[in-house]
Amino acid sequence: MELKVDLSRADKLKEKYVNDALESLEKLINKNGKGSEFTGWVELPKNINEDNIVRIEKLAAKMRKNADVLVVIGIGGSYLGARAVIEALKKTYKKENFEVIFAGCDLSPQRLVELIEYLQDKDFYVNVISKSGTTLEPALTFRAVRKLLETKYNKDELRERIIVTTDREKGALKTLADNMGLEKFVVPSDIGGRYSVLTDVGLIPIAAAGLNIRELLSGALTASKEYTVLFKENNALRYAALRQQYREAGKDIEIFASYEPKLNYIKEWLKQLFGESEGKDGLGIFPASATFTTDLHSIGQLIQDGKRNIFETIIYIEEEKFDMAIPYDEENLDNLNYLQGKNFSYVQNKAKEGVIQAHVDGLCPNIVINLPSLDEYNLGKLIYFFMISCAISAYIEGVNPFDQPGVEAYKKNMFKLLGRD
């Protein structure tokens, strides 16, 4: 089964936008568009280094054997992709013998204090991820966690328990790693953070969580062969074209929605991917997220009846690994015995169809991306699909998909208020 993009509940795609998307994909492949120096991710699945994969797998096995926890310290693209994959594939209620915890993605003192308290009686490793090593949130968190490490372990053990993922040639973390003799992995110079989930940045935490990074990369490789082909029926190209058609028609909010809460962090990653790639020069489609049917009881009213500037992209899992039949109830007080014997997935699917019809009737078009099943291979395909679509879409819009100049504005103000020279 393949990832399928269903545009039947969307507006008719105009030829102009398809041609623009084709031209944009050609720029991306030939590396002659804006920000082309950051397009290393396009060919990455075809150029995976086997020795590096083995190294990551061995490190993951060592961490799982010798510790209770891996603390991943990073913000934005340094953590969102890995967390998205892990949250999608781990069991919700099963207590794991080994945990992957994410920190350094906020400035909450309460969360940091609770983290330090939690780690007091745990054996743990730290994977600190930052190209520069000076980004405020992860740098401050790393200081605090490193102090705890120094109280728990001697110098030799300390060197074993800090793994650095940073720039190959320069930066504060590179200097620290060299001075302490820490194990180093690379943030590629030609791949920006939000496109880096298939690099060391994402693969180390994902492997540490016990997931199959080879299958993830295999899915991405399949996608790279499908979605970099220059023909008009390319689904990644058509999705990008339709997004820009909607933007120019005044539909400038895209809700990424799913019926599976395990995809919540996939949607958080998508918000960063599209928000940072397209939101510049007064342009962009605002990326929002929703989990159905839960959010139909909160923002459902607005989607159905509010301002008509919204379209939805639904990620739907076709084949559920786990399912349950609805039991018979003698009293039937809830009047649901008519569903007795049906599976929960059957009800979910009918809910999806009903919601799509209602929203389309309410002038909120729907794009449906059908994921065959929730596993590493299909997530690898989905991740690559969205990255290539996002870059094409930004090129149609006329902006650089790979910079984020607006992010620096708040940093300048913050550092000035903090008294930094």
Side-chain angles (χ1 to χ4, degrees):
M1 295 175 72
E2 295 297 324
L3 185 153
K4 297 190 288 290
V5 181
D6 180 2
L7 303 182
S8 64
R9 279 79 162 229
D11 294 351
K12 185 178 179 182
L13 184 54
K14 297 177 181 177
E15 191 71 11
K16 170 194 179 303
Y17 295 97
V18 176
N19 291 333
D20 288 347
L22 197 61
E23 183 181 318
S24 295
L25 177 56
E26 191 169 15
K27 284 181 186 176
L28 188 64
I29 293 168
N30 294 331
K31 296 183 181 294
N32 56 18
K34 294 177 181 178
S36 59
E37 65 273 24
F38 294 106
T39 56
W41 56 273
V42 176
E43 294 294 318
L44 176 70
K46 300 174 185 176
N47 299 313
I48 293 299
N49 184 305
E50 171 65 18
D51 290 342
N52 194 54
I53 297 302
V54 171
R55 183 184 172 210
I56 291 171
E57 289 173 332
K58 286 181 177 178
L59 173 63
K62 182 176 75 172
M63 289 191 289
R64 292 176 67 83
K65 179 181 177 182
N66 297 329
D68 308 303
V69 177
L70 169 65
V71 182
V72 180
I73 298 177
I75 196 168
S78 293
Y79 93 101
L80 265 175
R83 186 163 191 178
V85 173
I86 293 168
E87 295 286 342
L89 297 179
K90 75 175 187 179
K91 291 188 177 180
T92 305
Y93 302 111
K94 182 181 178 183
K95 183 171 175 56
E96 301 285 347
N97 294 325
F98 182 86
E99 295 178 274
V100 177
I101 292 175
F102 292 89
C105 46
D106 55 54
L107 289 171
S108 166
Q110 180 165 329
R111 279 169 60 89
L112 183 57
V113 169
E114 289 180 2
L115 173 66
I116 298 300
E117 289 176 350
Y118 182 72
L119 294 173
Q120 290 285 350
D121 61 350
K122 298 284 191 298
D123 276 324
F124 67 97
Y125 284 78
V126 173
N127 178 203
V128 56
I129 307 169
S130 174
K131 201 163 195 172
S132 67
T134 58
T135 305
L136 186 67
E137 296 91 339
L140 285 177
T141 301
F142 181 49
R143 276 197 177 202
V145 174
R146 184 179 160 196
K147 285 294 181 186
L148 177 60
L149 278 168
E150 289 169 352
T151 67
K152 289 174 68 74
Y153 303 105
N154 63 40
K155 287 186 178 180
D156 289 338
E157 291 173 321
L158 188 65
R159 275 195 294 271
E160 284 284 315
R161 290 183 178 271
I162 301 175
I163 296 99
V164 168
T165 309
T166 191
D167 189 87
R168 188 186 298 275
E169 297 178 352
K170 63 184 185 300
L173 271 182
K174 166 71 164 53
T175 301
L176 176 71
D178 288 344
N179 290 345
M180 291 184 64
L182 305 176
E183 185 162 13
K184 299 190 295 288
F185 289 83
V186 174
V187 177
S189 59
D190 60 350
I191 300 177
R194 58 191 178 272
Y195 293 87
S196 68
V197 61
L198 301 174
T199 71
D200 293 351
V201 171
L203 295 179
I204 294 169
I206 293 167
L211 301 176
N212 190 331
I213 58 174
R214 291 177 183 272
E215 280 295 298
L216 186 76
L217 292 169
S218 177
L221 176 60
T222 301
S224 72
K225 293 174 181 177
E226 289 182 19
Y227 301 132
T228 57
V229 178
L230 290 167
F231 79 115
K232 291 184 178 182
E233 297 307 311
N234 178 332
N235 275 326
L237 181 155
R238 295 179 73 80
Y239 170 59
L242 189 55
R243 294 182 76 254
Q244 289 303 317
Q245 180 176 313
Y246 281 138
R247 181 184 65 82
E248 291 198 0
K251 290 189 179 295
D252 55 3
I253 296 175
E254 179 176 20
I255 296 178
F256 293 104
S258 71
Y259 286 77
E260 175 49 67
K262 284 177 174 288
L263 296 180
N264 284 353
Y265 265 93
I266 291 288
K267 292 175 289 188
E268 291 302 306
W269 172 72
L270 287 172
K271 283 154 67 173
Q272 186 203 5
L273 179 68
F274 283 91
E276 279 194 348
S277 296
E278 294 184 326
K280 53 202 75 166
D281 300 339
L283 299 169
I285 298 167
F286 186 85
S289 62
T291 301
F292 295 154
T293 57
T294 305
D295 288 329
L296 295 173
H297 298 264
S298 57
I299 60 172
Q301 173 62 38
L302 185 147
I303 296 169
Q304 188 70 44
D305 262 352
K307 189 175 179 182
R308 299 296 79 199
N309 62 340
I310 298 169
F311 67 99
E312 291 176 318
T313 295
I314 310 295
I315 307 170
Y316 192 72
I317 303 164
E318 290 187 319
E319 183 182 309
E320 291 285 351
K321 286 186 177 179
F322 305 99
D323 210 343
M324 181 184 292
I326 297 165
Y328 175 80
D329 186 276
E330 190 71 36
E331 295 183 87
N332 195 31
L333 296 176
D334 52 15
N335 292 314
L336 292 176
N337 273 350
Y338 72 98
L339 293 173
Q340 180 258 330
K342 297 278 197 303
N343 286 342
F344 273 80
S345 60
Y346 169 84
V347 178
Q348 183 191 74
N349 187 58
K350 296 305 178 187
K352 179 199 73 166
E353 291 299 322
V355 171
I356 289 174
Q357 190 59 58
H359 288 184
V360 170
D361 289 347
L363 303 182
C364 176
N366 271 234
I367 300 164
V368 183
I369 298 171
N370 289 300
L371 198 64
S373 63
L374 191 55
D375 53 38
E376 289 94 333
Y377 177 81
N378 283 294
L379 278 182
K381 285 199 73 173
L382 188 73
I383 286 165
Y384 193 91
F385 168 84
F386 276 121
M387 290 196 300
I388 203 88
S389 297
C390 180
I392 295 167
S393 182
Y395 275 156
I396 299 171
E397 193 177 82
V399 300
N400 182 345
F402 310 114
D403 66 356
Q404 51 279 339
V407 174
E408 298 305 313
Y410 92 87
K411 291 182 181 179
K412 289 178 183 177
N413 292 340
M414 177 178 66
F415 284 128
K416 183 178 179 180
L417 291 167
L418 289 170
R420 180 167 124 177
D421 295 333

mmCIF file of all heavy atoms in Angstrom, residues 383-405:
data_model
loop_
_atom_site.group_PDB
_atom_site.id
_atom_site.type_symbol
_atom_site.label_atom_id
_atom_site.label_comp_id
_atom_site.label_asym_id
_atom_site.label_seq_id
_atom_site.Cartn_x
_atom_site.Cartn_y
_atom_site.Cartn_z
ATOM 1 N N ILE A 383 7.240 12.139 6.080
ATOM 2 C CA ILE A 383 8.161 13.238 6.397
ATOM 3 C C ILE A 383 8.772 13.815 5.129
ATOM 4 O O ILE A 383 8.797 15.029 4.926
ATOM 5 C CB ILE A 383 9.261 12.742 7.369
ATOM 6 C CG1 ILE A 383 8.674 12.571 8.771
ATOM 7 C CG2 ILE A 383 10.453 13.697 7.394
ATOM 8 C CD1 ILE A 383 9.548 11.762 9.706
ATOM 9 N N TYR A 384 9.242 12.944 4.246
ATOM 10 C CA TYR A 384 9.860 13.435 3.009
ATOM 11 C C TYR A 384 8.814 14.106 2.114
ATOM 12 O O TYR A 384 9.083 15.152 1.504
ATOM 13 C CB TYR A 384 10.551 12.301 2.256
ATOM 14 C CG TYR A 384 11.465 12.813 1.164
ATOM 15 C CD1 TYR A 384 12.803 13.079 1.428
ATOM 16 C CD2 TYR A 384 10.982 13.059 -0.119
ATOM 17 C CE1 TYR A 384 13.644 13.573 0.439
ATOM 18 C CE2 TYR A 384 11.812 13.560 -1.117
ATOM 19 C CZ TYR A 384 13.134 13.809 -0.834
ATOM 20 O OH TYR A 384 13.954 14.317 -1.815
ATOM 21 N N PHE A 385 7.628 13.532 2.047
ATOM 22 C CA PHE A 385 6.544 14.138 1.260
ATOM 23 C C PHE A 385 6.299 15.577 1.681
ATOM 24 O O PHE A 385 6.209 16.487 0.842
ATOM 25 C CB PHE A 385 5.260 13.314 1.430
ATOM 26 C CG PHE A 385 4.018 13.999 0.908
ATOM 27 C CD1 PHE A 385 3.680 13.914 -0.430
ATOM 28 C CD2 PHE A 385 3.201 14.740 1.760
ATOM 29 C CE1 PHE A 385 2.541 14.564 -0.918
ATOM 30 C CE2 PHE A 385 2.069 15.385 1.275
ATOM 31 C CZ PHE A 385 1.731 15.298 -0.064
ATOM 32 N N PHE A 386 6.187 15.813 2.984
ATOM 33 C CA PHE A 386 5.899 17.161 3.451
ATOM 34 C C PHE A 386 7.086 18.102 3.250
ATOM 35 O O PHE A 386 6.902 19.280 2.926
ATOM 36 C CB PHE A 386 5.473 17.140 4.918
ATOM 37 C CG PHE A 386 4.012 16.849 5.119
ATOM 38 C CD1 PHE A 386 3.601 15.751 5.858
ATOM 39 C CD2 PHE A 386 3.040 17.670 4.577
ATOM 40 C CE1 PHE A 386 2.250 15.480 6.049
ATOM 41 C CE2 PHE A 386 1.685 17.410 4.754
ATOM 42 C CZ PHE A 386 1.291 16.315 5.502
ATOM 43 N N MET A 387 8.310 17.618 3.425
ATOM 44 C CA MET A 387 9.464 18.499 3.226
ATOM 45 C C MET A 387 9.553 18.957 1.774
ATOM 46 O O MET A 387 9.770 20.144 1.502
ATOM 47 C CB MET A 387 10.750 17.790 3.659
ATOM 48 C CG MET A 387 10.859 17.586 5.155
ATOM 49 S SD MET A 387 12.520 17.160 5.779
ATOM 50 C CE MET A 387 12.863 15.635 4.902
ATOM 51 N N ILE A 388 9.381 18.031 0.836
ATOM 52 C CA ILE A 388 9.485 18.404 -0.579
ATOM 53 C C ILE A 388 8.310 19.305 -0.978
ATOM 54 O O ILE A 388 8.476 20.283 -1.713
ATOM 55 C CB ILE A 388 9.583 17.143 -1.482
ATOM 56 C CG1 ILE A 388 10.248 17.487 -2.819
ATOM 57 C CG2 ILE A 388 8.248 16.487 -1.732
ATOM 58 C CD1 ILE A 388 11.726 17.377 -2.824
ATOM 59 N N SER A 389 7.112 19.015 -0.462
ATOM 60 C CA SER A 389 5.942 19.851 -0.760
ATOM 61 C C SER A 389 6.128 21.262 -0.226
ATOM 62 O O SER A 389 5.776 22.247 -0.885
ATOM 63 C CB SER A 389 4.681 19.234 -0.156
ATOM 64 O OG SER A 389 4.401 17.978 -0.704
ATOM 65 N N CYS A 390 6.677 21.352 0.980
ATOM 66 C CA CYS A 390 6.872 22.655 1.606
ATOM 67 C C CYS A 390 7.843 23.511 0.804
ATOM 68 O O CYS A 390 7.585 24.701 0.562
ATOM 69 C CB CYS A 390 7.378 22.462 3.037
ATOM 70 S SG CYS A 390 7.650 24.014 3.924
ATOM 71 N N ALA A 391 8.954 22.929 0.385
ATOM 72 C CA ALA A 391 9.938 23.684 -0.393
ATOM 73 C C ALA A 391 9.351 24.146 -1.723
ATOM 74 O O ALA A 391 9.550 25.297 -2.142
ATOM 75 C CB ALA A 391 11.181 22.832 -0.615
ATOM 76 N N ILE A 392 8.617 23.264 -2.402
ATOM 77 C CA ILE A 392 7.974 23.635 -3.670
ATOM 78 C C ILE A 392 6.994 24.776 -3.437
ATOM 79 O O ILE A 392 6.970 25.767 -4.180
ATOM 80 C CB ILE A 392 7.243 22.423 -4.285
ATOM 81 C CG1 ILE A 392 8.223 21.323 -4.682
ATOM 82 C CG2 ILE A 392 6.420 22.848 -5.507
ATOM 83 C CD1 ILE A 392 7.550 19.988 -5.011
ATOM 84 N N SER A 393 6.170 24.648 -2.397
ATOM 85 C CA SER A 393 5.152 25.653 -2.098
ATOM 86 C C SER A 393 5.778 27.022 -1.838
ATOM 87 O O SER A 393 5.296 28.046 -2.322
ATOM 88 C CB SER A 393 4.327 25.187 -0.889
ATOM 89 O OG SER A 393 3.302 26.097 -0.591
ATOM 90 N N ALA A 394 6.878 27.031 -1.070
ATOM 91 C CA ALA A 394 7.546 28.303 -0.767
ATOM 92 C C ALA A 394 8.129 28.932 -2.025
ATOM 93 O O ALA A 394 8.072 30.160 -2.201
ATOM 94 C CB ALA A 394 8.643 28.070 0.275
ATOM 95 N N TYR A 395 8.674 28.113 -2.905
ATOM 96 C CA TYR A 395 9.202 28.645 -4.164
ATOM 97 C C TYR A 395 8.087 29.230 -5.036
ATOM 98 O O TYR A 395 8.272 30.257 -5.688
ATOM 99 C CB TYR A 395 9.952 27.552 -4.931
ATOM 100 C CG TYR A 395 11.401 27.369 -4.520
ATOM 101 C CD1 TYR A 395 12.053 26.162 -4.740
ATOM 102 C CD2 TYR A 395 12.130 28.398 -3.927
ATOM 103 C CE1 TYR A 395 13.385 25.974 -4.383
ATOM 104 C CE2 TYR A 395 13.454 28.237 -3.555
ATOM 105 C CZ TYR A 395 14.079 27.020 -3.784
ATOM 106 O OH TYR A 395 15.397 26.846 -3.430
ATOM 107 N N ILE A 396 6.930 28.581 -5.062
ATOM 108 C CA ILE A 396 5.791 29.151 -5.809
ATOM 109 C C ILE A 396 5.446 30.517 -5.233
ATOM 110 O O ILE A 396 5.178 31.477 -5.963
ATOM 111 C CB ILE A 396 4.555 28.234 -5.751
ATOM 112 C CG1 ILE A 396 4.830 26.870 -6.370
ATOM 113 C CG2 ILE A 396 3.366 28.898 -6.466
ATOM 114 C CD1 ILE A 396 3.712 25.855 -6.147
ATOM 115 N N GLU A 397 5.478 30.604 -3.912
ATOM 116 C CA GLU A 397 5.148 31.850 -3.211
ATOM 117 C C GLU A 397 6.184 32.932 -3.488
ATOM 118 O O GLU A 397 5.886 34.133 -3.388
ATOM 119 C CB GLU A 397 5.087 31.551 -1.711
ATOM 120 C CG GLU A 397 4.476 32.629 -0.859
ATOM 121 C CD GLU A 397 4.406 32.189 0.606
ATOM 122 O OE1 GLU A 397 5.432 32.313 1.308
ATOM 123 O OE2 GLU A 397 3.348 31.715 1.019
ATOM 124 N N GLY A 398 7.412 32.516 -3.809
ATOM 125 C CA GLY A 398 8.464 33.466 -4.123
ATOM 126 C C GLY A 398 9.396 33.785 -2.977
ATOM 127 O O GLY A 398 10.116 34.785 -3.016
ATOM 128 N N VAL A 399 9.399 32.934 -1.933
ATOM 129 C CA VAL A 399 10.272 33.184 -0.784
ATOM 130 C C VAL A 399 11.321 32.078 -0.654
ATOM 131 O O VAL A 399 11.198 31.017 -1.258
ATOM 132 C CB VAL A 399 9.462 33.284 0.534
ATOM 133 C CG1 VAL A 399 8.451 34.414 0.456
ATOM 134 C CG2 VAL A 399 8.771 31.958 0.873
ATOM 135 N N ASN A 400 12.330 32.355 0.155
ATOM 136 C CA ASN A 400 13.379 31.388 0.451
ATOM 137 C C ASN A 400 12.849 30.407 1.494
ATOM 138 O O ASN A 400 12.550 30.803 2.613
ATOM 139 C CB ASN A 400 14.615 32.130 0.984
ATOM 140 C CG ASN A 400 15.784 31.204 1.279
ATOM 141 O OD1 ASN A 400 15.647 29.986 1.353
ATOM 142 N ND2 ASN A 400 16.951 31.796 1.468
ATOM 143 N N PRO A 401 12.733 29.117 1.166
ATOM 144 C CA PRO A 401 12.165 28.155 2.128
ATOM 145 C C PRO A 401 13.099 27.810 3.292
ATOM 146 O O PRO A 401 12.680 27.133 4.222
ATOM 147 C CB PRO A 401 11.940 26.887 1.278
ATOM 148 C CG PRO A 401 12.160 27.283 -0.141
ATOM 149 C CD PRO A 401 13.057 28.467 -0.117
ATOM 150 N N PHE A 402 14.346 28.273 3.233
ATOM 151 C CA PHE A 402 15.351 27.718 4.134
ATOM 152 C C PHE A 402 15.964 28.738 5.099
ATOM 153 O O PHE A 402 16.912 28.414 5.813
ATOM 154 C CB PHE A 402 16.450 27.043 3.308
ATOM 155 C CG PHE A 402 15.897 26.089 2.290
ATOM 156 C CD1 PHE A 402 16.036 26.330 0.933
ATOM 157 C CD2 PHE A 402 15.194 24.963 2.698
ATOM 158 C CE1 PHE A 402 15.500 25.455 -0.005
ATOM 159 C CE2 PHE A 402 14.638 24.089 1.771
ATOM 160 C CZ PHE A 402 14.797 24.334 0.412
ATOM 161 N N ASP A 403 15.455 29.960 5.122
ATOM 162 C CA ASP A 403 15.925 30.915 6.130
ATOM 163 C C ASP A 403 14.783 31.265 7.065
ATOM 164 O O ASP A 403 13.638 30.850 6.867
ATOM 165 C CB ASP A 403 16.536 32.163 5.484
ATOM 166 C CG ASP A 403 15.510 32.997 4.715
ATOM 167 O OD1 ASP A 403 14.336 32.582 4.616
ATOM 168 O OD2 ASP A 403 15.884 34.065 4.204
ATOM 169 N N GLN A 404 15.067 31.988 8.130
ATOM 170 C CA GLN A 404 14.051 32.398 9.095
ATOM 171 C C GLN A 404 14.473 33.715 9.751
ATOM 172 O O GLN A 404 14.698 33.772 10.950
ATOM 173 C CB GLN A 404 13.789 31.313 10.160
ATOM 174 C CG GLN A 404 15.015 30.761 10.876
ATOM 175 C CD GLN A 404 15.739 29.712 10.098
ATOM 176 O OE1 GLN A 404 15.197 29.086 9.207
ATOM 177 N NE2 GLN A 404 17.001 29.518 10.427
ATOM 178 N N PRO A 405 14.595 34.787 8.941
ATOM 179 C CA PRO A 405 15.096 36.058 9.481
ATOM 180 C C PRO A 405 14.220 36.631 10.590
ATOM 181 O O PRO A 405 14.723 37.312 11.487
ATOM 182 C CB PRO A 405 15.115 36.973 8.255
ATOM 183 C CG PRO A 405 14.143 36.355 7.287
ATOM 184 C CD PRO A 405 14.248 34.889 7.514
#
